Amino acid sequence: MMRTQRPGVLRAEHIGTRSTICGWVAHRRDHGGVAFLDVRDATGLLQVVVDPAKAGLDAVKQVRNEWVLRIEGEIKARPDGTVNDAMPTGQVELVADSFEVLSESEPPPFPLDDRVDVDEILRLRHRYLDLRRAPMQRNLRNRALVNKAMRAAMDDQDFVEVETPMLIASTPEGSRDFVVPSRLHPGSFYALPQSPQLFKQLLMVGGFDRYYQIARCLRDEDLRADRQFEFMQLDIEMTFASQFDVQTAIGNAVRAVVDVLRPGDAPEEIPRMTWRDAMNNYGTDKPDLRFEMRLLDLSAVFATTEFRAFAGAACVKGVRVAGQGEASRNVVDGLVERAKQLGAAGLVWMRVRDVDGVATLDSPVVKFLTAEEQSGIIDALSATVGDLVLIAAGEWKTTVGVLGQLRLELGRPAVTEGGLKFLWVVDFPLFDGLADDGTPIPASHPFTMPNPDDLEILEIDPLAVRAEAYDLVLNGWELGSGSVRIHRRDIQARIFALLGISPEQQQQRFGFLLDAFRFGPPPHAGFAIGIDRFVAIMSGEENIREVIAFPKTQSGADPMTNAPSAIEEVQLRELGLNIRKAPVKS
Ligand code: ASP
């Protein structure tokens, strides 16, 4: 037997027993000629005492960090004064009577402790060493627990796990595809799936009723801290289901995850908010509800104003920044700059000060406002002495967007309690805007069902049409999205016509789905949760790379394997590919 126990599990109850453990030397201290080794494996650390004066133990003098040892000895209580309560095994130590070096290690290129202030490229180049660190061990174990809890929740709800292919034709998620050249069909390419979207819809046509998959999705997008080229989703689809049924099923999966990783923090019911309310009140479609700071409407206050900056504006909104009334001029000027950077024409700030016992606005612009307007602001924002008030005016989406971003930047740092605020944002618009030629730009894929109540205005006022589309938001992050799908040919035809997708293009891009829909497509709806982000939030990590075993850098490279890299001339020839000399910039 290689080992009798794993080092991290040994406790006071094992005192007096014999034990053989295996692991890496995490630290070594020498004290009075005796070597104290912290030996690490996946279960944790155990202190091992090796006295080189004992027969056969002299070789411990050569042992260095990250060497792999097998050690046999007796579990003893640590002597008085050396108990370490910060360590789960801190009551005991293994006193060695023999050990064997299973493998040696060069000095590691960075210290393998809990600190993360090591250059990330260096960590990724030696990810196998980085993974030995406790935070990475914990994060990847969390990830396994999340997958397990979600699988169990979906199984319990009678969902069937089905795997969909990786080499496919293009999917309609609206990102750039990764493509794979075909050797057997030179000049032809597979696309890697941006999501299993079309296949899961085909599974519904195929009578599967309730499908799920822990699916890998690939999108060739510019990378940010919360993005990777490849990422994992809990992907689901249901037939004969409304958006509420989908939200219930996903809610159960989410609760199952929280119950495992943060027992007691699971929401009873996930609240719902319309997209319009989210935008109006928080200036974003993914509000962080861990703090309030709503954007409040001041249009009525300034309906007849003569103050140029607000007169005639489509939208005037304000936000109260509690207790920041005496922020320095530098800070408030910084906020004005930030607002302009975000696209606002300007930002008006006012301090709320006590003048003869009355809350009074103080700002260079106050002299342009009537007394009613001034008291109107204080009332509408419930502002009190000591507050700072920020007001922006202009086109609706920009105005709420700018104030929403300022709300986030000013309010989020004050959030100390790490609660979990889930939210369903529902009734997203079907279209994001109009292209230069007047064609509506779909907010999601073209199979998203319009709200039945808005069907009559589909062609007349497309931008006012709500979609049966919904997002799940957690602490201001978009955790996932989904929709009810179009299963009726007449509605689908109207959408394609609006989007200017010709019958030939329809056939070429998703002909197989449209063909399938000729044979009794059931009503269906679905959703996908981004697992990387969910695990990161549940693990208290800001960056999803911390919860991915082998992530790419922000430039999409893997410093360990050197991917992406050139391929051999013979491979190119087999694939019928020629590489152009200079990379073509699009
Ligand atoms: N396919 C969508 C996505 O990947 C999710 C869905 O609509 O079910 O975002």
Side-chain angles (χ1 to χ4, degrees), residues 249-532:
I250 287 289
N252 289 336
V254 160
R255 259 188 298 278
V257 167
V258 179
D259 280 343
V260 172
L261 289 189
R262 304 260 296 254
D265 278 354
E268 272 294 310
E269 183 91 36
I270 299 178
R272 297 159 59 85
M273 186 183 290
T274 65
W275 175 85
R276 190 152 292 276
D277 282 349
M279 294 298 290
N280 262 328
N281 293 326
Y282 302 99
T284 169
D285 56 10
K286 37 180 186 294
D288 187 343
L289 295 186
R290 286 174 301 172
F291 60 101
E292 192 49 8
M293 270 181 90
R294 280 203 208 194
L295 318 185
L296 294 160
D297 194 42
L298 297 173
S299 306
V301 175
F302 294 106
T304 57
T305 190
E306 304 205 336
F307 179 45
R308 284 246 307 276
F310 297 166
C315 167
V316 189
K317 289 237 169 208
V319 65
R320 162 180 170 255
V321 192
Q324 293 301 308
E326 297 309 321
S328 72
R329 187 62 197 248
N330 246 350
V331 168
V332 287
D333 286 347
L335 293 175
V336 175
E337 268 319 297
R338 179 75 180 124
K340 288 185 181 160
Q341 197 182 56
L342 292 166
L347 181 76
V348 167
W349 54 267
M350 299 172 189
R351 306 180 190 280
V352 188
R353 286 186 163 146
D354 182 339
V355 176
D356 300 331
V358 181
T360 308
L361 296 175
D362 183 11
S363 156
V365 306
V366 162
K367 57 178 178 284
F368 302 116
L369 305 181
T370 64
E372 290 74 42
E373 287 168 350
Q374 295 180 36
S375 60
I377 295 173
I378 292 189
D379 290 349
L381 300 187
S382 309
T384 54
V385 173
D387 292 345
L388 181 70
V389 165
L390 303 177
I391 304 179
E395 184 264 330
W396 175 72
K397 220 168 178 177
T398 312
T399 306
V400 294
V402 169
L403 284 180
Q405 184 60 32
L406 291 179
R407 167 192 178 268
L408 204 57
E409 291 172 13
L410 292 166
R412 203 179 241 175
V415 174
T416 46
E417 188 263 330
L420 299 175
K421 290 288 187 195
F422 288 94
L423 176 72
W424 286 109
V425 177
V426 302
D427 289 351
F428 268 77
L430 190 60
F431 301 110
D432 264 346
L434 297 178
D436 291 341
D437 64 359
T439 313
I441 302 164
S444 180
H445 45 70
F447 309 108
T448 308
M449 180 74 105
N451 186 312
D453 294 339
D454 295 348
L455 275 176
E456 52 202 54
I457 57 162
L458 187 56
E459 289 81 7
I460 306 164
D461 189 5
L463 296 191
V465 176
R466 291 164 298 167
E468 288 227 60
Y470 33 89
D471 273 6
L472 181 61
V473 174
L474 171 56
N475 293 354
W477 293 89
E478 178 198 321
L479 214 52
S481 42
S483 61
V484 177
R485 325 297 184 188
I486 299 173
H487 71 282
R488 274 175 43 190
R489 302 187 66 155
D490 55 333
I491 301 177
Q492 190 67 68
R494 286 169 67 188
I495 296 285
F496 281 145
L498 254 178
L499 297 178
I501 304 180
S502 68
E504 295 73 48
Q505 287 168 324
Q506 293 166 27
Q507 203 51 39
Q508 188 221 334
R509 284 171 59 193
F510 359 85
F512 57 99
L513 184 73
L514 301 176
D515 283 349
F517 277 15
R518 287 165 32 214
F519 302 100
H524 56 290
F527 199 80
I529 294 188
I531 295 175
D532 306 278

Side-chain angles (χ1 to χ4, degrees), residues 143-202:
R143 191 176 179 112
L145 290 171
V146 167
N147 283 344
K148 182 176 169 193
M150 290 196 299
R151 277 212 166 87
M154 299 325 287
D155 291 343
D156 285 350
Q157 298 178 91
D158 229 14
F159 281 72
V160 181
E161 184 171 8
V162 183
E163 290 149 7
T164 53
M166 293 299 282
L167 296 174
I168 63 170
S170 187
T171 30
E173 297 293 349
S175 290
R176 209 176 285 114
D177 283 324
F178 277 101
V179 294
V180 178
S182 160
R183 179 180 58 85
L184 294 180
H185 306 272
S188 293
F189 295 81
Y190 300 98
L192 298 176
Q194 292 182 29
S195 81
Q197 184 64 32
L198 299 182
F199 289 96
K200 67 176 174 175
Q201 293 193 241
L202 291 169

